[in-house]
Amino acid sequence: MISQLGKDMDLSRITFPTFVLEPRSFTERVTDFMSHPDFLINANKSEDPVERFIGVVKYYMSGWHIHPKGVKKPYNPVLGEFFRSRCTFDDSSSAFFVAEQVSHHPPITAMFYHCPDHHIAIEGDLRPKSRFFGNSVGMILEGYAKIHFERWGGEEYLVTYPNMYARGILFGKMVLELGETSTVTCAKSDLMFEVEFKTKGLIWGSYNQIIGKIKRISTKEVLYDITGNWQTTIFIADRKKKTEPVVLFDSARERVVPQTVACAAEQEPNESRNLWKHVTKAIYESDLDAATTHKTAIEEEQREDARRRDADKTPFVPRFFRLEADGLYHPGLALNDIPQDPGQAKQAIERWIFTKTGSDDMQDFARPEEDPVVLAATRPRRH
């Protein structure tokens, strides 16, 4: 792999060895941003737009602490691959998620999340661009995410992302860092959160530090200061009241809401966990030769599919998303078409996400996992 690298080159067409892979697809890794949805639910209940905004900031900052040990890269999704899941909250309400690889070159992953009982929706697409910087690999996270609080007259929060850097890939200590500036903006509330993810210097500084501000868009007045460590604890201080910082988020004390995925027998061939299950099993068993063989077979099948489409002059059409006039991918089930009644909305969303291809049947989440490959990959390993 090293022989293929040149400084500042685009890595989207480089095949990475299996020993650097995290055993899940990028389509599934997107769900890390939905690990603490209760923050959004609580924010949505507030009558105060500033308090709602702070809740959204807390939610946004809570998604970064979840990543594999060491520096690992998720599988590059193949075109048309998708991941779908559901989760249930303590109040018995539910949320539903789907992500699909809608473009391969350039890579684009579109995603949609909806909680009907609380009238909360998230849509967006991620457009990662990888670059080689000598002893580091950087992932430039372009794209967007938009959080909708439908209860508040279509209140929207537009989110951008920091960049990710894997340091020490050739020599030295390997470490994952976030860098540069990202924002959360709510035009309706006239509020913006701007945060700098600070990278550690060669000699001075600490890892994972952030400095951010919540301010009025119109006047630039700073209302709150946000500081701390995105991996562990984040603090907030009221600038106007000159209060001492208090904990906004503590990763050690917050519970991650798990995603529920149907068993392999209920999944389609290009559904992420089913598609990559042999690679995942081999990685868990530390059989890198088998992982490479299975990974190569998936990638070659993708190339063959591309050749067939080129020969037939048939463009790829995403299953769950559509490219609209704004140049962004939006869910095929438009927000305006989702019923306002939570029960009806739940039925519409479940049928759209979980119906099987060529059938009126939906995935059966009650069916137990019996696939020996999946069970082998999830069985606790002996040390």
Side-chain angles (χ1 to χ4, degrees):
M1 181 190 76
I2 294 176
S3 63
Q4 303 177 63
L5 299 178
K7 192 172 181 181
D8 294 325
M9 74 176 295
D10 182 357
L11 301 184
S12 63
R13 296 178 183 271
I14 296 294
T15 299
F16 283 83
T18 52
F19 69 82
V20 303
L21 294 178
E22 175 188 4
R24 59 174 176 163
S25 176
F26 186 74
T27 55
E28 180 174 357
R29 190 171 184 178
V30 175
T31 62
D32 289 352
F33 295 105
M34 287 75 183
S35 296
H36 302 283
D38 45 315
F39 297 159
L40 282 185
I41 293 173
N42 291 334
N44 190 44
K45 294 176 181 178
S46 176
E47 300 285 337
D48 183 352
V50 176
E51 289 300 319
R52 290 199 297 274
F53 191 86
I54 292 172
V56 173
V57 168
K58 180 179 181 179
Y59 163 79
Y60 173 72
M61 294 304 301
S62 72
W64 299 107
H65 74 97
I66 300 173
H67 57 78
K69 292 182 180 180
V71 179
K72 297 290 185 179
K73 180 182 182 300
Y75 308 140
N76 286 332
V78 302
L79 188 63
E81 175 188 338
F82 62 92
F83 175 84
R84 49 188 174 180
S85 63
R86 60 188 302 161
C87 59
T88 302
F89 307 127
D90 292 338
D91 64 359
S92 297
S93 63
S94 301
F96 311 98
F97 175 84
V98 62
E100 181 180 12
Q101 194 70 6
V102 294
S103 173
H104 188 62
H105 291 304
I108 303 175
T109 305
M111 57 94 172
F112 178 74
Y113 177 93
H114 201 287
C115 181
D117 291 289
H118 298 283
H119 301 283
I120 297 171
I122 306 173
E123 62 170 321
D125 66 43
L126 286 160
R127 307 180 181 217
K129 295 182 178 180
S130 299
R131 293 288 186 272
F132 179 61
F133 301 118
N135 195 36
S136 301
V137 170
M139 180 181 288
I140 315 303
L141 285 175
E142 297 182 350
Y144 84 104
K146 190 177 288 184
I147 301 168
H148 301 264
F149 279 178
E150 298 164 358
R151 176 187 174 193
W152 301 103
E155 192 170 85
E156 297 177 351
Y157 299 82
L158 182 63
V159 170
T160 63
Y161 305 100
N163 299 330
M164 305 180 75
Y165 298 97
R167 310 290 193 190
I169 63 168
L170 300 181
F171 56 85
K173 178 182 178 182
M174 291 189 70
V175 63
L176 176 70
E177 287 195 284
L178 300 180
E180 276 65 69
T181 299
S182 64
T183 59
V184 178
T185 306
C186 181
K188 184 175 181 180
S189 300
D190 190 36
L191 292 168
M192 169 183 279
F193 172 55
E194 189 173 52
V195 58
E196 180 186 2
F197 291 80
K198 302 180 74 67
T199 56
K200 185 182 180 299
L202 291 176
I203 300 176
W204 307 110
S206 302
Y207 288 113
N208 307 334
Q209 299 300 298
I210 60 152
I211 297 177
K213 295 176 175 62
I214 295 176
K215 58 186 179 181
R216 294 287 182 190
I217 298 172
S218 58
T219 65
K220 311 298 183 186
E221 177 190 13
V222 176
L223 304 181
Y224 294 90
D225 293 296
I226 310 287
T227 56
N229 184 308
W230 57 262
Q231 181 69 46
T232 55
T233 310
I234 298 171
F235 301 90
I236 184 170
D238 191 318
R239 172 76 72 91
K240 295 178 70 176
K241 295 180 180 178
K242 298 182 179 179
T243 61
E244 290 295 314
V246 296
V247 174
L248 177 68
F249 173 74
D250 183 348
S251 63
R253 303 182 68 175
E254 299 292 350
R255 181 177 67 93
V256 172
V257 177
Q259 302 285 326
T260 302
V261 180
C263 70
E266 290 290 316
Q267 294 183 33
E268 297 182 30
N270 58 332
E271 204 154 345
S272 295
R273 288 191 182 180
N274 198 30
L275 175 68
W276 294 96
K277 64 184 179 183
H278 291 284
V279 181
T280 299
K281 175 178 179 288
I283 290 175
Y284 271 103
E285 294 177 345
S286 300
D287 188 344
L288 298 185
D289 289 338
T292 299
T293 297
H294 291 300
K295 176 174 174 287
T296 301
I298 292 171
E299 293 166 344
E300 182 52 40
E301 179 61 26
Q302 177 176 233
R303 296 184 189 100
E304 182 59 33
D305 287 343
R307 286 191 286 267
R308 283 195 291 266
R309 285 193 300 272
D310 288 344
D312 297 339
K313 295 182 170 52
T314 304
F316 169 75
V317 178
R319 172 172 170 178
F320 295 100
F321 298 88
R322 58 173 181 256
L323 182 64
E324 297 191 358
D326 59 3
L328 303 174
Y329 283 90
H330 297 271
L333 179 61
L335 288 177
N336 291 337
D337 294 333
I338 297 175
Q340 289 298 305
D341 176 75
Q344 295 177 5
K346 181 179 178 180
Q347 290 181 356
I349 294 167
E350 284 187 302
R351 185 153 296 281
W352 175 62
I353 293 179
F354 299 117
T355 296
K356 300 176 182 179
T357 298
S359 170
D360 291 331
D361 296 333
M362 292 195 297
Q363 286 184 311
D364 180 5
F365 281 83
R367 186 175 178 179
E369 183 60 73
E370 297 176 336
D371 189 307
V373 176
V374 176
L375 292 175
T378 54
R379 186 182 301 126
R381 289 176 289 172
R382 296 178 180 178
H383 296 280

